[in-house]
Amino acid sequence: MNLSESLKRKYTTDNVSAREAQRLAEFIAWGPVVFQASRLMVRLGILDMLRDSSNGLTIDEVAAKASLSTYAAKCLLEASLCIGTVIVDPETDRFSISKTGWFLLNDPATRVNIDFNHDVNYEGWFRLEESLKEGRPAGLEHFGSWPTVYEALSSLPEQVQKSWFAFDHFYSDSSFPEALEIVFGKHHVRSLYDVGGNTGKWALKCVEHEPDVHVTVIDLPQQIEMMRRNVTGKPGAERIDGIGINLLDESVELPKPQDYDIDAIWMSQFLDCFSEQQIVSILSRAKAAMGPDSRVFIMETLWDRQRFEPAAFCLTMTSLYFTAIANGNSKMYNTDDMSRLIGEAGLEVEHIYDHLGQGHSIIVCKPK
């Protein structure tokens, strides 16, 4: 396994003491309520109050400021004390925010992850075992009867959509400035297929960055309609087209222009939405649409290439979202697996650019 240096230090030896291991085991056992209590400490503004107080707050002061009963404030603060998001002065019984609480409150990735897990995943996690055994997103049935979350997106409750797109865009958007320089600065792309282009955010960035590039977004028909609504009236929208197809249908080919070769086929946070067999099929069809000088750009958060261990943790947990909610058969892949699938599709890795934005890599592929 191709682990980064920080992941080797964390994942190849067992360095915790027996007492630390016991506490972590209990932390896992009480994980659902740890999550909900901590989420409410943010939502009810209690961590904000503690951060902004100069000498901390008593339970009664928190109760009054948060419009809670003393009982409710006491339950949350005592739980948070044991979770580690607050500390207490034993002389004055005044509570203050801890370093962990500060990150819970202020780290943008953590806030996005909290909303994503509560609004999109929480109730569906209950059916994770069923999903793993049956290879289908059993947890999605909490929202309705769709085969995958992607067909469901336009019909999900507004808050669920908001949290889903915030999660999706947070991780990809941070990588866009560097990705634009790679695609257009290093590779001089002028025509691009944006496969799995979703709401068209990347397409808009492309036409804003390059005045003569033409982008064709390829996605499910309902996503193409959402994309068209999103880009209408924005600068460069006349250079964005859309094609609605279902790439899970292996008989559907990527269209190949008649009079020119597509410079680039872009897939950002796309292939992690598919099983290994489906990835090979999609990449094989991408190869069929390429000319000899075309390139496939695969931007993914490969969990084994992460610079910092918490990122790998988040990514491997996200794999279980794919299992229970998204489609039942995809995951966040590592380098070895993705490279093998690229090769099986008749492509070869030309270069990998690492550490873009929130831990993305871009794999540049050419035809064998």
Side-chain angles (χ1 to χ4, degrees), residues 45-266:
I46 298 175
L47 288 181
D48 279 302
M49 299 172 199
L50 297 177
R51 179 196 59 193
D52 296 340
S53 66
S54 55
N55 297 308
L57 299 171
T58 66
I59 289 173
D60 287 336
E61 288 171 338
V62 168
K65 287 177 175 288
S67 300
L68 295 172
S69 67
T70 298
Y71 163 80
K74 183 177 292 186
C75 284
L76 283 174
L77 284 165
E78 289 176 351
S80 298
L81 182 65
C82 295
I83 291 166
T85 55
V86 303
I87 56 175
V88 67
D89 183 333
E91 301 297 325
T92 63
D93 290 341
R94 303 183 77 84
F95 289 81
S96 303
I97 193 169
S98 70
K99 288 190 287 290
T100 300
W102 189 93
F103 276 102
L104 187 70
L105 186 62
N106 293 290
D107 179 52
T110 302
R111 295 295 294 270
V112 165
N113 290 338
I114 287 174
D115 291 342
F116 178 65
N117 278 313
H118 178 69
D119 295 328
V120 180
N121 301 327
Y122 196 80
E123 294 183 80
W125 288 140
F126 189 78
R127 301 182 68 178
L128 177 60
E129 181 179 0
E130 187 179 345
S131 300
L132 286 164
K133 289 181 175 178
E134 298 180 9
R136 68 182 185 87
L140 182 60
E141 293 175 10
H142 166 68
F143 296 114
S145 55
W146 293 280
T148 73
V149 76
Y150 311 107
E151 288 94 336
L153 273 177
S154 60
S155 302
L156 292 176
E158 182 179 355
Q159 183 58 43
V160 177
Q161 288 190 42
K162 181 180 177 182
S163 293
W164 191 94
F165 281 113
F167 177 82
D168 184 67
H169 291 161
F170 177 82
Y171 288 98
S172 61
D173 289 5
S174 66
S175 306
F176 281 174
E178 294 163 284
L180 289 166
E181 291 303 319
I182 290 169
V183 172
F184 296 106
K186 295 181 182 294
H187 294 270
H188 309 294
V189 167
R190 291 296 174 266
S191 59
L192 181 143
Y193 279 171
D194 181 5
V195 182
N198 214 324
T199 59
K201 291 194 78 171
W202 168 254
L204 285 169
K205 292 290 185 183
C206 290
V207 296
E208 177 186 352
H209 189 273
E210 290 294 317
D212 58 350
V213 69
H214 187 274
V215 180
T216 302
V217 178
I218 299 175
D219 211 324
L220 292 166
Q222 56 266 45
Q223 292 300 107
I224 294 298
E225 290 306 311
M226 190 181 297
M227 178 276 294
R228 286 186 173 128
R229 290 195 299 270
N230 188 54
V231 305
T232 297
K234 294 179 181 175
E238 70 280 0
R239 289 181 281 122
I240 300 174
D241 290 327
I243 299 175
I245 59 176
N246 182 3
L247 285 171
L248 285 176
D249 182 349
E250 295 193 0
S251 67
V252 174
E253 300 292 334
L254 267 68
K256 186 170 184 178
Q258 297 298 313
D259 53 351
Y260 66 97
D261 288 333
I262 285 290
D263 292 333
I265 299 176
W266 171 259

Side-chain angles (χ1 to χ4, degrees), residues 23-35:
R23 187 186 193 283
L24 180 57
E26 289 292 0
F27 204 86
I28 293 167
W30 291 96
V33 74
V34 168
F35 172 79

